[in-house]
Amino acid sequence: MIAAQDLHAEFQFPQETESQLSSDADLEDPDGRNATAGRGMGAKRGRKVLGDKAKGGGAGRVSSTGWVNGHHQENGTENMSLFEVVKMGRSATQSVVDEWIEAYKQDRDVALLELINFFIQCSGCKGAVSEEMFRHMQNSEIIRKMTEEFDEDSGDYPLTLSGPQWKRFRINFCDFIAVLVRQCQYSIIYDEYMMDTVISLLTGLSDSQVRAFRHTSTLAAMKLMTALVNVALNLSINMDNTQRQYEAERNKVIAKRANDRLELLLQKRKELQENQDDIENMMNAIFKGVFVHRYRDAIAEIRAICIEEIGVWMKLYSDAFLNDSYLKYVGWTMHDKQGEVRLKCLTALQGLFYSRELGSRLELFTSRFKDRIVSMTLDKEYDVAVQAIKLLTLILQSSDEVLTAEDCESVYHLVYSAHRPIAVSAGEFLFKKLFSHRGPEDEGLPRRGRQSLNGSLIKTTVFFFLESELHEHGAYLVDSLWECASELLKDWETMISLLLDEPMPGEEALTDRQETALVEIMLSAIRQACECHPPVGRGSGKRVLTAKEKKTQLDDRTRTTEMFAVALPLLLAKYCVDIDKVTSLLQIPKYFDLDIYTTGRLEKHMDALLRQIWEVVDKHTDTEVLEACSTTYHHLCNEEFTIFNRVDIARSQLLDELVDKFNRLLEDFLQEGEEPDEDDAYQVLSTLKKITAFHNAHDLSKWDLFTSNYSLLSTGLQNGDMPEQIVIHAMQCTHYIVLWHLAKVSEGSSIKGDLVTLRKQMRAFCLICQRYLCSINTAVKEQAFTVLCDVLLIFSHQIMSSGREHLENLVYVPDSSLQAELLNFIVDQVFIDQDDDSNSTDGQQDDEASKIEALHKRRNLLAAYCKLIIYNVVEMNTGADIFKQYMRYYNDYGDIIKETMSKTRQIDKIQCAKTLILSLQKLFNEMMSELGFSFDRSSSAFCGIKELARRFSLTFGLDQLKTREAIAMLHKDGIEFAFKEPSPQGEGGPPLNLPFLDILSEFSSKLLRQDKRTVHMYLERFMTFQMALQRDDCWLPLISYRNSLQAGMDDDTMSVISGISSRGSVRSKKSKQSAVSKRKLPEEENSSSSFDGVWMNREQSVPTPVMMHSPHLTSTVLRDPKRMRPEDGYAATFSMPAEQHLQQALPPQPLPPHQHQAAMDYNTQVTWMLTQRQQAEARQHQERISMHYAKMRNHMQQAIRRGSGLMEEDEEPIVEDVMMSSEDRLEDINEGMDFNTMEIDLPASKNRRERNELKPDYFDPSSIMDDSVLNVSMF
């Protein structure tokens, strides 16, 4: 375990032992050591003082190409700043650095000032450090000044900008720093001025709260550190060479020893040691001042930079950095929350483990953090998981003993991952672990065949496949191993030998289970070689193959055909009775190049294959095997190849025999007066299954099978004792007959009268399937339902699309009885509890597998019916019985029902809304019939309906303008339903369905403000005066619904509007002026041009007004003080026309008999009472909003003013039991950090605010809808 020790005070570079040199007086130089002790970073701190001019140049001399006044000069003409030169990247970095060095030699203050401004400008700051600031201000003061001038429009800066130019800038920026240090490594970096100033500036910028400064300076400091590491490495190499030369010279005999050379070497070694001490001081300053704080920065990009660079240091200069003192930072950061940072940790470690020499020095680190690396193979970020597996592969190569069996097994199962890069990486790990080790006994084995090395490796693959217990994923295993073991997987000769040849003496033969697995792996390898793309579910799709890959694909396909054309008949003959093996083997011919049968003179092997397929059809009745045989015939019967006639004759002979046998058996089976025995039923069923399987892929129209199958189905209905499997396959076969007939008619290849025949057959078939929906057998009903849904969808109005108008007579519209029976089947067979589904398990044990299979079958049935709704085959309102089950069966069918609602809303928004409210009404009626009219509104049943209404409301989305009419129609139907039935308590009691208004209130938030007012008026038409005064509990639904409508009427906003735009002030002024003019001209208030006048006139013209509008109240949240009056706001300019049209669309509704009352003067009786109550509520509402708004402003101001708590200490985080998914991980890893203070939010500039004012005015109705929309009648 890596010890948690404090950071060393300085870097400890490997140096020569003093014991070898202590005896030599020439090497002792205490004065020289003491003289250099004061050099380094400690000498230049605090206020900067301009240094002396560089020697030899003079400040006034300027070359033709160089720097003058901080600008790049070419031929004496001012061109660009250093930042612009690096950004453009037109000049070579080497020449740019050389020119800056020349400028530094002439006047180091001016050149250094340009370098400082270069870093400032690279951060995106428009400010610049002046000469006065450089002379008289400290670094902290300069940074504070630059922070004040950092007034950019957005938070973007060069390192975060996208585009090729800025990507190139980042590269040039890093190259510039590296080349600068490389070119200055022999003199300038030791002048105690340039490097001290640059490092001090970057350290200060890295502690800034401005992210741009912190990010840019950290990148610069880390690249500067990397460049210094290279310098230190060169110094170390030179010191070693100098020491060896010195030792060699000193070991000479005295007569041949050159004392002057010894003194020279000693002086050179002393200078190198002094230089290395300076480099150590610089690196220590950067490491302690920047890395130790920024490796746990709040920004993931900054943390990633630090980890990436420390990996480079450890790889470049392993003697100094590859120890536990620096490895611990990488180990700790592997627990980072951001995948980008974890990825950098893994790539840094990979660079170390690539070298066996370095990998051997990581034993302590590996033992400490191995478990974390293994757990990262399951990382939620796929890229991190891939690199973790690759790192484990490198660890495995360096030492076999590090990873335990449990560690390896955690990687093995990832070969079945759906994410292909993870699977391929795991496949490489598996290959390295199981297949790469070859012992001396493997030498001399044959290259191919059963006894070859590949034979044992293929057996190992089979054993691994069986032990994984994922036998349906052979294609995934092959795809995972394909890139590293394709030659092994394409050794089909060895696989065939393992299947056909007898085992050698002493060799253990493959078991039946192992042979089945080998056949599956062999088939998957053939598919991978011939198709050259991953299996289904792994990969985004087929990619374009290169010329080399196409040639390899063609060669593999030719080799497969030549080899299996001979071997496949033999394999089928050996495994003829094995269902699994035969099913897999029969899929191989579809990858053949059929021309090779002719060019390779392999016709006799084709005949052998056809005979074997005939035998398989004769011996098997399993549907899967028969369909495989049918598919093989379909692939071989290709008219483009010369073998077509040979295969077509064999197919016709087979089908002739099957049809003759079926007709003969059916005639005996349907004879009257005789009861068929089980043997006859079995013969009919087996023959019918074979015909059905072939009819799926082949046109059997010439055998006229419709009559025989229809008579079989009719007899089953009449007698009622027909075996279910015979009925099911007869339906399926008849379905294929109708579809093949439709295909011929659609292509125009049919004769006259076929269209009429098809129409009769289709309608007769639908009628008989409808009668089978009432069967007592569940499997028969499911088959009849599935076939009916397919036929109704195919023969719907969609059949006439794409220029097929001549098929109009074939359109079949189901009548109401058929629609009802289909819906009843769904309700009875799909919406059932899992435990009640006893018929779907087919007598098997009620285990998880059977439950999943039964659920999958029910989902398919529901999806088939939902298609009928979506394609308008059945009425949309039939979906109400499905939508009402949304909450109860959400886990099983929630996705299907939600998608159906979405599609129906796209077809007809209003009808969809009516269907949703109908589903809620049905649930409400069911609850009333079960609990009675005096039910408790807090009961689970009623709360469940309310929750369903809330879910329905969420499906309408946020754009209320698009769903305006639909929501209004929904409320209309809901209100009518609530007042439909009279009160069971007699006159004066609440209507029977009044609690439904509580459910309807869930949709009130989706109404526009003006529509709320109109819906409220529509509600008042059903109310009496006594209802408005009632406050009993039984009237609470009405009160709550009215409040939900009145709440929006108080706000002068729309939910689709996120806020008041900056143009609101301009509009408010205009509205104020118009309001003043209206007050000056009272006669205009009654004119048609005044919306308020029209609205009031419209209110007075309502025939039987029962309730008055509540007073208009203005929200104080979104309005600026003293901006506009309520009557001058958006309510006066938009809502009035819509409400007029809504009222015109709503005719006066006659009240039910129990609601008739004498006319009452409402204004004189209750106006004052209601007005006072509403005003009091409005004042309380405004006070709550004002307090909330004040608190929000206070919190925001405190957050902005909050200081920065930057990290100061280098403490070891707690990582023992912390995983990446832990919410508290960052607090444990980064002790003492305050992430909330790492950034400041920059205010938008005036330019941005001005640009915002150019946006469309969303408070202006003319900008969001035209007159045609405004004049739409809602109801």
Side-chain angles (χ1 to χ4, degrees):
M1 178 177 175
I2 295 178
Q5 52 188 338
D6 294 336
L7 184 67
H8 294 301
E10 60 182 6
F11 285 77
Q12 299 297 327
F13 292 95
Q15 301 175 1
E16 295 79 359
T17 56
E18 294 294 334
S19 60
Q20 296 177 351
L21 305 178
S22 60
S23 61
D24 195 330
D26 293 337
L27 294 180
E28 296 178 1
D29 188 15
D31 296 335
R33 295 290 253 178
N34 294 334
T36 60
R39 301 175 63 183
M41 295 301 301
K44 301 292 292 182
R45 285 291 181 265
R47 184 179 302 275
K48 291 190 290 291
V49 180
L50 287 177
D52 297 334
K53 296 291 184 279
K55 298 178 181 179
R61 190 174 59 198
V62 179
S63 60
S64 61
T65 301
W67 298 85
V68 173
N69 296 328
H71 291 280
H72 186 217
Q73 291 286 320
E74 290 186 1
N75 298 326
T77 304
E78 184 176 350
N79 188 12
M80 294 180 292
S81 67
L82 183 59
F83 166 72
E84 293 170 339
V85 172
V86 174
K87 183 181 73 171
M88 298 300 295
R90 294 177 179 175
S91 304
T93 306
Q94 181 79 32
S95 62
V96 175
V97 172
D98 291 342
E99 292 173 2
W100 184 88
I101 292 175
E102 288 298 324
Y104 184 82
K105 291 178 180 179
Q106 296 171 13
D107 190 334
R108 65 180 187 179
D109 290 335
V110 173
L112 196 57
L113 182 60
E114 171 64 15
L115 188 61
I116 292 174
N117 282 320
F118 167 72
F119 290 117
I120 296 296
Q121 292 173 6
C122 288
S123 301
C125 180
K126 299 301 182 182
V129 180
S130 64
E131 186 175 349
E132 286 297 321
M133 295 169 59
F134 181 69
R135 286 175 179 273
H136 304 294
M137 296 177 65
Q138 296 182 1
N139 279 334
S140 59
E141 297 173 343
I142 293 175
I143 295 173
R144 188 180 304 111
K145 181 67 174 177
M146 292 299 100
T147 301
E148 294 173 357
E149 298 183 6
F150 204 104
D151 55 350
E152 288 302 292
D153 292 349
S154 65
D156 294 332
Y157 49 94
L159 292 184
T160 60
L161 292 174
S162 59
Q165 178 186 7
W166 296 110
K167 291 181 180 179
R168 192 164 56 249
F169 166 77
R170 183 188 178 100
I171 298 174
N172 295 338
F173 177 73
C174 298
D175 290 344
F176 175 82
I177 296 173
V179 174
L180 178 64
V181 174
R182 187 181 68 208
Q183 294 299 104
C184 299
Q185 64 178 322
Y186 299 109
S187 60
I188 296 180
I189 62 174
Y190 305 112
D191 68 356
E192 301 184 10
Y193 186 65
M194 185 199 79
M195 291 301 295
D196 289 5
T197 304
V198 170
I199 293 175
S200 177
L201 173 71
L202 295 179
T203 302
L205 288 175
S206 67
D207 281 336
S208 173
Q209 290 184 358
V210 180
R211 171 178 173 172
F213 282 150
R214 205 165 65 251
H215 188 182
T216 307
S217 61
T218 301
L219 176 62
M222 294 299 99
K223 292 299 179 182
L224 183 64
M225 178 81 167
T226 302
L228 292 175
V229 169
N230 280 305
V231 174
L233 182 61
N234 292 334
L235 288 174
S236 177
I237 294 174
N238 291 334
M239 286 182 64
D240 292 340
N241 293 336
T242 304
Q243 183 65 29
R244 282 195 300 270
Q245 293 175 6
Y246 179 85
E247 293 293 337
E249 188 68 27
R250 195 179 65 169
N251 291 336
K252 293 180 181 179
V253 295
I254 298 179
K256 296 183 178 181
R257 183 186 304 172
N259 291 330
D260 55 345
R261 178 173 172 78
L262 283 177
E263 292 179 1
L264 222 92
L265 291 173
L266 187 62
Q267 182 64 27
K268 182 180 179 181
R269 183 183 180 279
K270 178 181 177 181
E271 292 177 357
L272 292 174
Q273 184 63 51
E274 291 176 354
N275 291 342
Q276 190 170 29
D277 291 342
D278 287 347
I279 298 298
E280 288 180 12
N281 290 334
M282 297 176 194
M283 291 193 298
N284 275 306
I286 295 175
F287 191 84
K288 289 183 177 181
V290 180
F291 178 88
V292 168
H293 300 298
R294 299 279 72 79
Y295 92 96
R296 49 184 183 176
D297 194 275
I299 305 303
E301 297 174 4
I302 299 177
R303 302 198 298 270
I305 290 172
C306 296
I307 297 302
E308 182 180 15
E309 294 304 315
I310 197 176
V312 175
W313 307 337
M314 289 187 288
K315 187 177 180 181
L316 283 178
Y317 202 177
S318 58
D319 292 339
F321 290 95
L322 192 58
N323 55 62
D324 300 338
S325 298
Y326 304 106
L327 283 169
K328 64 183 180 182
Y329 295 107
V330 180
W332 293 342
T333 316
M334 282 195 296
H335 294 268
D336 197 279
K337 283 186 175 182
Q338 296 297 323
E340 175 188 0
V341 184
R342 299 195 299 272
L343 186 64
K344 293 298 182 182
C345 295
L346 295 173
T347 53
L349 293 174
Q350 287 177 14
L352 302 177
F353 278 101
Y354 269 122
S355 172
R356 285 186 174 273
E357 179 184 355
L358 298 181
S360 60
R361 298 165 58 181
L362 295 169
E363 294 181 358
L364 182 60
F365 175 85
T366 306
S367 63
R368 169 65 180 83
F369 292 101
K370 180 195 66 175
D371 294 339
R372 174 57 184 160
I373 298 174
V374 173
S375 69
M376 291 174 75
T377 59
L378 300 176
D379 197 279
K380 60 183 180 181
E381 301 287 344
Y382 289 139
D383 294 340
V384 177
V386 169
Q387 298 305 323
I389 298 172
K390 290 183 177 180
L391 178 58
L392 290 176
T393 305
L394 294 174
I395 295 175
L396 182 67
Q397 291 178 345
S398 63
S399 176
D400 292 337
E401 301 176 355
V402 175
L403 299 178
T404 63
E406 291 78 9
D407 297 334
C408 295
E409 288 175 1
S410 65
V411 182
Y412 289 161
H413 74 277
L414 294 177
V415 297
Y416 298 104
S417 172
H419 190 261
R420 192 169 190 271
I422 292 178
V424 170
S425 301
E428 183 180 358
F429 180 89
L430 175 65
F431 184 78
K432 298 287 185 185
K433 180 67 176 177
L434 299 182
F435 304 136
S436 298
H437 303 287
R438 296 187 180 183
E441 66 277 2
D442 297 331
E443 301 296 333
L445 292 178
R447 185 170 180 271
R448 303 283 184 183
R450 189 183 187 97
Q451 298 300 316
S452 65
L453 175 61
N454 281 353
S456 61
L457 295 181
I458 290 173
K459 289 181 181 178
T460 304
T461 307
V462 172
F463 298 154
F464 172 81
F465 179 52
L466 292 176
E467 289 176 1
S468 63
E469 297 181 355
L470 293 172
H471 311 317
E472 297 179 358
H473 296 73
Y476 274 32
L477 174 61
V478 170
D479 181 55
S480 301
L481 295 171
W482 193 255
E483 293 188 5
C484 57
S486 59
E487 293 301 322
L488 171 66
L489 295 172
K490 288 193 288 188
D491 189 3
W492 297 308
E493 180 181 350
T494 301
M495 296 181 185
I496 293 172
S497 177
L498 289 171
L499 291 171
L500 293 179
D501 297 346
E502 294 296 328
M504 301 295 291
E507 180 186 2
E508 185 178 356
L510 295 177
T511 63
D512 179 72
R513 189 162 170 261
Q514 292 169 351
E515 288 178 340
T516 303
L518 178 56
V519 171
E520 183 175 352
I521 292 174
M522 182 175 66
L523 172 64
S524 300
I526 293 172
R527 186 206 63 80
Q528 187 87 7
C530 295
E531 294 185 352
C532 293
H533 64 79
V536 177
R538 178 183 284 181
S540 57
K542 296 182 180 180
R543 61 183 181 87
V544 179
L545 301 180
T546 62
K548 183 179 179 181
E549 290 173 337
K550 289 181 179 179
K551 185 179 182 303
T552 303
Q553 179 189 23
L554 183 61
D555 294 341
D556 290 339
R557 191 173 184 183
T558 302
R559 182 167 161 265
T560 301
T561 307
E562 293 174 347
M563 191 171 298
F564 283 94
V566 179
L568 186 57
L570 301 176
L571 292 170
L572 288 174
K574 181 176 181 180
Y575 301 111
C576 184
V577 297
D578 193 306
I579 294 176
D580 295 331
K581 296 185 182 67
V582 167
T583 303
S584 298
L585 291 172
L586 284 173
Q587 298 180 45
I588 295 178
K590 68 181 180 181
Y591 303 109
F592 283 177
D593 183 1
L594 299 180
D595 275 335
I596 295 180
Y597 273 105
T598 304
T599 58
R601 299 185 181 277
L602 302 175
E603 290 86 352
K604 62 178 182 179
H605 297 291
M606 171 58 71
D607 295 335
L609 177 61
L610 294 175
R611 286 195 300 270
Q612 291 301 324
I613 296 177
W614 191 311
E615 289 188 16
V616 170
V617 174
D618 184 60
K619 293 181 179 180
H620 285 273
T621 59
D622 186 78
T623 303
E624 190 176 2
V625 177
L626 295 174
E627 289 180 352
C629 293
S630 175
T631 305
T632 303
Y633 269 114
H634 180 266
H635 179 74
L636 297 176
C637 288
N638 193 332
E639 297 180 0
E640 297 179 0
F641 301 99
T642 55
I643 63 172
F644 170 72
N645 292 331
R646 190 187 302 266
V647 180
D648 186 46
I649 292 173
R651 178 185 62 175
S652 299
Q653 292 175 352
L654 175 61
L655 292 175
D656 281 338
E657 182 178 330
L658 289 175
V659 173
D660 291 342
K661 182 179 179 181
F662 176 68
N663 290 331
R664 187 175 61 255
L665 291 172
L666 187 61
E667 185 179 355
D668 298 337
F669 186 72
L670 298 180
Q671 282 184 355
E672 298 181 2
E674 296 184 9
E675 183 178 352
D677 56 9
E678 294 182 0
D679 185 58
D680 294 338
Y682 176 77
Q683 291 295 330
V684 171
L685 175 61
S686 61
T687 309
L688 182 58
K689 289 175 71 174
K690 295 173 184 179
I691 293 175
T692 303
F694 273 87
H695 212 336
N696 188 13
H698 305 270
D699 185 8
L700 309 184
S701 300
K702 62 180 180 180
W703 281 278
D704 190 21
L705 293 169
F706 182 84
T707 304
S708 55
N709 281 276
Y710 186 79
S711 60
L712 186 61
L713 293 173
S714 300
T715 305
L717 279 176
Q718 295 173 5
N719 299 337
D721 57 352
M722 186 72 68
E724 67 173 38
Q725 288 300 317
I726 292 180
V727 175
I728 290 173
H729 284 87
M731 285 185 187
Q732 192 65 46
C733 186
T734 309
H735 185 209
Y736 292 148
I737 294 170
V738 173
L739 295 184
W740 277 108
H741 199 171
L742 175 62
K744 291 180 63 178
V745 171
S746 300
E747 294 172 359
S749 59
S750 60
I751 61 176
K752 187 177 181 180
D754 282 353
L755 193 65
V756 178
T757 303
L758 174 59
R759 185 172 185 272
K760 292 180 179 179
Q761 290 180 354
M762 179 268 296
R763 291 180 177 272
F765 180 53
C766 289
L767 290 176
I768 203 167
C769 288
Q770 181 178 356
R771 296 178 63 185
Y772 269 108
L773 281 177
C774 301
S775 174
I776 61 174
N777 190 286
T778 303
V780 172
K781 288 193 293 186
E782 290 176 354
Q783 181 67 22
F785 177 84
T786 304
V787 169
L788 270 174
C789 289
D790 289 344
V791 171
L792 291 175
L793 192 60
I794 293 171
F795 288 91
S796 66
H797 61 279
Q798 310 275 346
I799 199 175
M800 295 187 298
S801 60
S802 302
R804 295 193 297 262
E805 289 79 6
H806 63 283
L807 301 179
E808 182 178 0
N809 292 333
L810 294 179
V811 175
Y812 181 61
V813 179
D815 55 15
S816 58
S817 62
L818 178 55
Q819 294 187 33
E821 291 185 29
L822 292 173
L823 180 60
N824 291 335
F825 174 86
I826 287 293
V827 174
D828 296 337
Q829 301 298 325
V830 173
F831 296 109
I832 57 176
D833 294 332
Q834 193 76 266
D835 299 335
D836 299 337
D837 189 18
S838 59
N839 297 324
S840 300
T841 57
D842 295 330
Q844 300 176 1
Q845 294 181 351
D846 190 17
D847 55 0
E848 287 298 323
S850 61
K851 287 184 177 180
I852 293 175
E853 183 179 357
L855 176 60
H856 181 67
K857 183 187 298 183
R858 294 197 300 271
R859 283 175 58 86
N860 287 336
L861 295 174
L862 178 60
Y865 185 78
C866 288
K867 281 191 218 174
L868 300 181
I869 299 175
I870 293 172
Y871 287 96
N872 203 22
V873 178
V874 298
E875 297 293 336
M876 189 182 294
N877 57 14
T878 59
D881 288 283
I882 296 176
F883 295 164
K884 71 180 185 180
Q885 308 289 352
Y886 181 64
M887 286 290 296
R888 181 178 179 185
Y889 295 95
Y890 181 80
N891 293 332
D892 295 340
Y893 317 117
D895 55 338
I896 299 176
I897 299 176
K898 187 175 182 179
E899 183 65 18
T900 305
M901 286 191 290
S902 175
K903 294 295 183 182
T904 53
R905 184 173 293 113
Q906 295 175 14
I907 298 171
D908 190 340
K909 295 183 179 65
I910 294 180
Q911 189 60 36
C912 176
K914 294 173 73 69
T915 304
L916 292 179
I917 199 67
L918 178 61
S919 63
L920 296 174
Q921 293 171 5
K922 289 190 173 186
L923 284 175
F924 185 83
N925 288 332
E926 292 174 4
M927 181 196 66
M928 292 282 287
S929 61
E930 181 181 352
L931 302 179
F933 66 91
S934 59
F935 63 91
D936 185 6
R937 288 192 297 113
S938 63
S939 62
S940 59
F942 187 79
C943 293
I945 302 176
K946 282 199 66 174
E947 176 63 19
L948 179 60
R950 188 186 70 84
R951 296 288 186 94
F952 285 168
S953 175
L954 294 176
T955 62
F956 283 95
L958 299 176
D959 193 347
Q960 293 177 317
L961 291 176
K962 291 183 179 180
T963 59
R964 180 183 184 185
E965 298 179 16
I967 291 293
M969 184 60 67
L970 184 146
H971 280 272
K972 174 180 178 296
D973 289 356
I975 293 172
E976 292 175 355
F977 175 78
F979 291 93
K980 182 178 180 181
E981 299 294 336
S983 173
Q985 302 175 0
E987 187 174 354
L992 179 64
N993 298 332
L994 189 67
F996 189 78
L997 293 178
D998 205 0
I999 300 171
L1000 191 60
S1001 62
E1002 297 292 338
F1003 297 93
S1004 297
S1005 60
K1006 296 299 178 181
L1007 282 169
L1008 294 178
R1009 176 189 48 78
Q1010 57 269 30
D1011 294 344
K1012 285 185 178 181
R1013 183 180 293 116
T1014 306
V1015 171
H1016 186 267
M1017 292 181 61
Y1018 189 72
L1019 173 67
E1020 291 174 351
R1021 299 184 181 182
F1022 291 87
M1023 296 172 54
T1024 61
F1025 175 72
Q1026 284 80 5
M1027 290 182 183
L1029 301 178
Q1030 295 294 338
R1031 292 295 180 268
D1032 296 336
D1033 290 345
C1034 59
W1035 294 95
L1036 287 180
L1038 177 60
I1039 299 173
S1040 62
Y1041 182 58
R1042 289 185 61 219
N1043 290 338
S1044 68
L1045 296 177
Q1046 292 175 350
M1049 292 160 55
D1050 294 338
D1051 287 337
D1052 200 12
T1053 59
M1054 295 169 55
S1055 63
V1056 293
I1057 307 301
S1058 59
I1060 296 180
S1061 67
S1062 57
R1063 292 179 60 189
S1065 58
V1066 179
R1067 278 198 317 276
S1068 64
K1069 294 177 181 179
K1070 294 181 180 179
S1071 62
K1072 286 183 178 181
Q1073 295 173 1
S1074 62
V1076 172
S1077 63
K1078 289 180 182 180
R1079 287 193 296 271
K1080 292 181 179 179
L1081 301 174
E1083 63 275 9
E1084 294 182 3
E1085 295 182 0
N1086 298 326
S1087 64
S1088 60
S1089 61
S1090 174
F1091 285 118
D1092 292 72
V1094 172
W1095 177 250
M1096 294 305 296
N1097 293 336
R1098 175 62 62 182
E1099 281 188 342
Q1100 295 172 6
S1101 64
V1102 174
T1104 55
V1106 181
M1107 300 295 294
M1108 286 187 62
H1109 294 296
S1110 57
H1112 287 290
L1113 299 174
T1114 305
S1115 172
T1116 59
V1117 180
L1118 298 179
R1119 288 183 178 275
D1120 293 338
K1122 303 180 181 179
R1123 172 168 291 191
M1124 63 174 68
R1125 298 184 300 110
E1127 60 271 19
D1128 297 329
Y1130 175 69
T1133 59
F1134 178 77
S1135 63
M1136 302 312 171
E1139 289 164 351
Q1140 296 171 28
H1141 297 304
L1142 286 174
Q1143 293 181 25
Q1144 294 173 2
L1146 291 175
Q1149 298 289 336
L1151 295 176
H1154 65 281
Q1155 295 181 5
H1156 276 294
Q1157 296 188 25
M1160 306 183 73
D1161 187 3
Y1162 178 79
N1163 293 332
T1164 59
Q1165 295 189 18
V1166 296
T1167 299
W1168 183 86
M1169 177 183 66
L1170 293 180
T1171 302
Q1172 292 298 319
R1173 178 177 62 83
Q1174 291 172 354
Q1175 290 179 353
E1177 293 176 353
R1179 284 194 296 271
Q1180 295 174 3
H1181 179 68
Q1182 289 180 343
E1183 291 174 358
R1184 288 194 299 267
I1185 292 177
S1186 300
M1187 293 176 62
H1188 179 66
Y1189 179 69
K1191 290 181 180 179
M1192 288 177 59
R1193 288 183 57 86
N1194 188 28
H1195 291 327
M1196 291 175 62
Q1197 292 172 358
Q1198 290 179 2
I1200 294 176
R1201 290 194 298 265
R1202 196 162 34 185
S1204 63
L1206 298 178
M1207 299 76 65
E1208 297 295 337
E1209 300 296 332
D1210 176 26
E1211 302 175 359
E1212 179 182 5
I1214 302 173
V1215 296
E1216 307 299 332
D1217 54 352
V1218 179
M1219 297 299 290
M1220 61 186 175
S1221 60
S1222 174
E1223 293 296 333
D1224 299 327
R1225 182 255 163 229
L1226 204 54
E1227 288 76 13
D1228 295 335
I1229 290 293
N1230 305 305
E1231 296 177 353
M1233 289 187 64
D1234 185 3
F1235 287 133
N1236 295 329
T1237 62
M1238 299 306 295
E1239 292 190 59
I1240 62 175
D1241 293 329
L1242 302 177
S1245 68
K1246 296 181 180 179
N1247 293 333
R1248 166 163 294 194
R1249 286 192 293 269
E1250 291 171 359
R1251 288 196 298 269
N1252 287 338
E1253 293 181 358
L1254 299 178
K1255 295 180 179 179
D1257 185 2
Y1258 291 109
F1259 280 81
D1260 185 1
S1262 61
S1263 67
I1264 52 178
M1265 58 175 58
D1266 54 17
D1267 295 337
S1268 61
V1269 177
L1270 290 173
N1271 294 332
V1272 169
S1273 175
M1274 297 300 296
F1275 296 148

